[in-house]
Amino acid sequence: MKLYSENEIVDAVVIGTGAGGAPLLSRLAKAGLKVVALEAGEHWEPSKDFATDEVSQAKLFWTDERLSAGEDPLHFGNNNSGIGVGGSTLHYTAYVPRPQPDDFHLYSDFGVGVNWPIGYNDLEKYFDEIEQFLGVSGPADYLWGAKHKSSYPLPPLPLNGAAQLMKRGCDKLNIKTSPAANAALSAPYFQKDIGWRAACTNRGFCQAGCTIGAKANMDVTYIPLAVYHGSEVRSKSFVTEFELNNSDNISAVVYSFNGKMQRQKCKNVFLCAGAIETPRLLLINNIANSSGEVGKNFMAHTGMQVWGQFEEDIRPYKGIPGGLISEDTHRPKDADFAGGYLLQSIGVMPVTYASQVARARGLWGEALLQCMRGYNHTAGINILGDCLPYPNNYLELSDEMDSRGLPKPRIYFSIEENERRLNIHAEKILREIWSAAGADDIWSYNRNAHTIGTCRMGNDQQKAVVNSEGKSFDIPNLFIADNSVFPSALSANPALTIMALSLRIADCFLDKMKHR
């Protein structure tokens, strides 16, 4: 890997190496720019460091304390953000449905929420490019949304037990289903400038890290591509401060490495630390916030889960977790709410399932043990649905300090009427599916997933933090490329859209450079 001196003024520093940072890192490096990535976590070696063990793999989650507030405070840690080279993709389930075109103009359609300053057409070519590069496995023809210009490069992965049962229930209710798009290889796949990646062995435990590189984490896809093109990736580097020059440009990024403060001189900064750490860093440094919108409009997808017990031996830890999808509920005709949601089958690891049971059903001790004896006969379905931006859902700096002496973030979150109605609609359908499939002991868990918003993208600098190209309205050489810039949540899992935004922001930046 190429190394740069801290005294050398590099073209760009990229903060964060997940779905937001890694794609643009590779794009900038391929264009010949001198680029350094700073990542707070370790650079793991999957075959040696990743185990089929949930407890061992807790190291992949961002577990620094985040204070939760509001009427429905969120639990952070597992599920919501990651640490390490590759970021949250180290433990994502690789579920990569595209958003639908109408997701980008929710306000125009419903009079609530906000429209994006860009549309599906602006991201479509990047969806195509990413799916081909990662080796996404999916159906030849997708049933919902805009017709894809390119088919998924690989056929779908096998349906696990939960997916087969969900299909059985949906078929009886005339709900259309399809194998889902997953960024995991159903066959060996060759990536130019990287080499061959092995096919998925259906081991499950995707959220504990993929030991063979079949799952398209950033650490086995865009990161090695970036390094091939000359980027440097510095792990265990936690950014704390920006130095600004007299022109209000960032001239250097200050970070902690092994307890020692260091600084990297640079011409541009791309902040890709996610919807919590990105606004937190801006607020700590008191920059890029003339609009007062940094930290505002926090969102978390509605993620209602419904579980059931079956006579069949399901073994829910096996196979790709999200094998089956339905988007028949994207815009339900009988809805009394704005937006919509998708349905997905879910596999689950045992410790994760036990924690869901304890939270949702209040079971503990012998009662929890008795419930867990039925684990291998358990199957789940969940939704991934809209969450509108509200002024009372936001992030601020608390007066409590973390181990580094920095203010902890406090996140306020309350579920409002639109989300309550959506959840009620979804729970009824999910229970009907499991009843039709023959389940007993059906129960629900009302949850939210993914951290979204807090540095909104928009055309009005009084109401947004960055413009439609990810550029700060206040700091000329600062760009943000992660899920914090989402103006609305979209009724689809965010990873694919984050990667598409990342490449688009890089291309817009490079195009501007050419015309200076």
Side-chain angles (χ1 to χ4, degrees):
M1 181 166 63
K2 190 167 185 175
L3 303 179
Y4 294 96
S5 162
E6 290 186 322
N7 291 320
E8 183 173 357
I9 303 175
V10 297
D11 294 306
V13 167
V14 178
I15 302 170
T17 57
L24 69 80
L25 182 70
S26 69
R27 195 69 123 214
L28 300 182
K30 186 177 181 180
L33 273 59
K34 297 176 180 177
V35 194
V36 172
L38 300 176
E39 164 58 46
E42 302 265 0
H43 198 159
W44 303 107
E45 186 178 332
S47 61
K48 180 171 70 70
D49 297 323
F50 293 170
T52 307
D53 179 339
E54 288 177 81
V55 176
S56 168
Q57 294 310 97
K59 63 191 178 190
L60 303 183
F61 300 108
W62 190 287
T63 52
D64 287 10
E65 187 175 23
R66 291 164 171 174
L67 306 179
S68 289
E71 295 179 10
D72 302 285
L74 297 172
H75 52 88
F76 293 100
N78 296 7
N79 189 48
N80 277 325
S81 54
I83 188 168
V85 174
S88 298
T89 66
L90 294 174
H91 62 74
Y92 79 149
T93 60
Y95 201 71
V96 286
R98 295 186 184 190
Q100 294 199 25
D102 56 9
D103 278 319
F104 294 87
H105 44 77
L106 201 65
Y107 180 79
S108 296
D109 293 350
F110 293 96
V112 295
V114 292
N115 291 341
W116 284 53
I118 60 174
Y120 179 90
N121 290 341
D122 295 302
L123 297 178
E124 185 176 20
K125 69 177 183 180
Y126 298 108
F127 293 143
D128 288 331
E129 176 185 337
I130 294 163
E131 289 164 355
Q132 298 301 314
F133 175 68
L134 298 184
V136 171
S137 302
D141 292 305
Y142 196 66
L143 297 175
W144 304 274
K147 184 173 177 58
H148 296 192
K149 293 180 178 175
S150 304
S151 295
Y152 294 115
L154 293 173
L157 288 154
L159 299 182
N160 63 6
Q164 292 176 39
L165 289 165
M166 175 179 157
K167 186 174 189 317
R168 185 164 80 190
C170 287
D171 286 348
K172 290 182 178 179
L173 298 174
N174 294 317
I175 297 173
K176 297 191 298 293
T177 62
S178 168
N182 279 286
L185 304 177
S186 59
Y189 198 69
F190 183 78
Q191 288 179 299
K192 186 176 182 295
D193 301 329
I194 296 177
W196 285 95
R197 289 171 44 220
C200 175
T201 58
N202 300 301
R203 175 181 65 102
F205 282 77
C206 302
Q207 291 167 287
C210 181
T211 57
I212 60 173
K215 191 177 71 157
N217 304 341
M218 297 299 96
D219 63 324
V220 296
T221 53
Y222 280 109
I223 291 294
L225 184 64
V227 171
Y228 173 84
H229 287 298
S231 171
E232 179 183 353
V233 178
R234 296 179 191 160
S235 58
K236 298 187 287 185
S237 300
F238 188 97
V239 175
T240 60
E241 185 181 347
F242 299 113
E243 293 180 357
L244 273 65
N245 60 22
N246 292 334
S247 303
D248 278 339
N249 277 293
I250 296 174
S251 56
V253 176
V254 180
Y255 62 100
S256 169
F257 177 76
N258 282 339
K260 181 181 177 184
M261 300 310 294
Q262 308 204 43
R263 59 196 290 275
Q264 176 64 55
K265 295 180 179 179
C266 61
K267 296 178 182 175
N268 298 282
V269 172
F270 291 81
L271 182 51
C272 315
I276 303 296
E277 295 306 317
T278 284
R280 181 192 182 204
L281 188 55
L282 295 178
L283 290 172
I284 287 173
N285 284 272
N286 194 27
I287 62 170
N289 196 23
S290 65
S291 65
E293 291 294 315
V294 173
K296 303 293 178 59
N297 303 303
F298 176 82
M299 296 168 279
H301 280 126
T302 46
M304 166 73 68
Q305 295 181 341
V306 171
W307 299 91
Q309 294 266 317
F310 294 83
E311 291 185 0
E312 290 90 339
D313 193 9
I314 297 167
R315 300 198 177 273
Y317 55 86
K318 295 183 72 172
I320 194 78
L324 196 74
I325 188 171
S326 175
E327 295 200 51
D328 276 8
T329 51
H330 178 69
R331 294 288 183 266
K333 292 180 180 176
D334 62 344
D336 59 354
F337 52 85
Y341 58 94
L342 58 79
L343 312 177
Q344 66 177 104
S345 60
I346 46 174
V348 65
M349 299 180 290
V351 176
T352 301
Y353 180 66
S355 68
Q356 315 263 78
V357 170
R359 279 199 177 102
R361 310 186 80 178
L363 300 183
W364 196 249
E366 181 55 37
L368 178 59
L369 287 173
Q370 181 61 33
C371 182
M372 288 304 295
R373 290 187 182 102
Y375 166 72
N376 279 327
H377 296 269
T378 299
I381 315 173
N382 77 209
I383 69 161
L384 195 296
D386 273 302
C387 173
L388 300 180
Y390 299 105
N392 55 321
N393 289 341
Y394 63 97
L395 175 149
E396 66 177 9
L397 299 180
S398 78
D399 52 6
E400 288 188 33
M401 299 294 130
D402 67 9
S403 60
R404 299 181 180 89
L406 299 172
K408 296 178 183 176
R410 180 186 291 115
I411 299 94
Y412 291 81
F413 186 73
S414 301
I415 296 171
E416 302 294 339
E417 187 61 25
N418 195 71
E419 289 69 41
R420 287 193 190 93
R421 292 180 178 182
L422 188 152
N423 279 328
I424 291 170
H425 189 277
E427 182 175 359
K428 179 175 181 292
I429 289 180
L430 297 182
R431 286 179 176 273
E432 288 172 352
I433 292 170
W434 269 167
S435 292
D440 291 321
D441 191 22
I442 299 171
W443 58 277
S444 63
Y445 176 39
N446 194 3
R447 61 190 274 278
N448 292 82
H450 307 131
T451 58
I452 307 166
T454 65
C455 290
R456 176 182 285 173
M457 166 192 290
N459 293 322
D460 184 349
Q461 65 182 69
Q462 302 300 316
K463 299 178 180 178
V465 178
V466 296
N467 68 14
S468 63
E469 298 179 354
K471 183 177 181 179
S472 165
F473 285 115
D474 297 346
I475 309 294
N477 66 343
L478 172 66
F479 300 80
I480 302 178
D482 56 29
N483 49 354
S484 73
V485 304
F486 282 28
S488 67
L490 309 175
S491 57
N493 302 59
L496 183 69
T497 303
I498 298 171
M499 292 181 226
L501 274 176
S502 174
L503 290 180
R504 182 177 184 275
I505 289 168
D507 281 353
C508 290
F509 172 80
L510 292 170
D511 186 59
K512 290 287 191 302
M513 282 190 71
K514 286 180 188 174
H515 295 90
R516 280 177 187 168

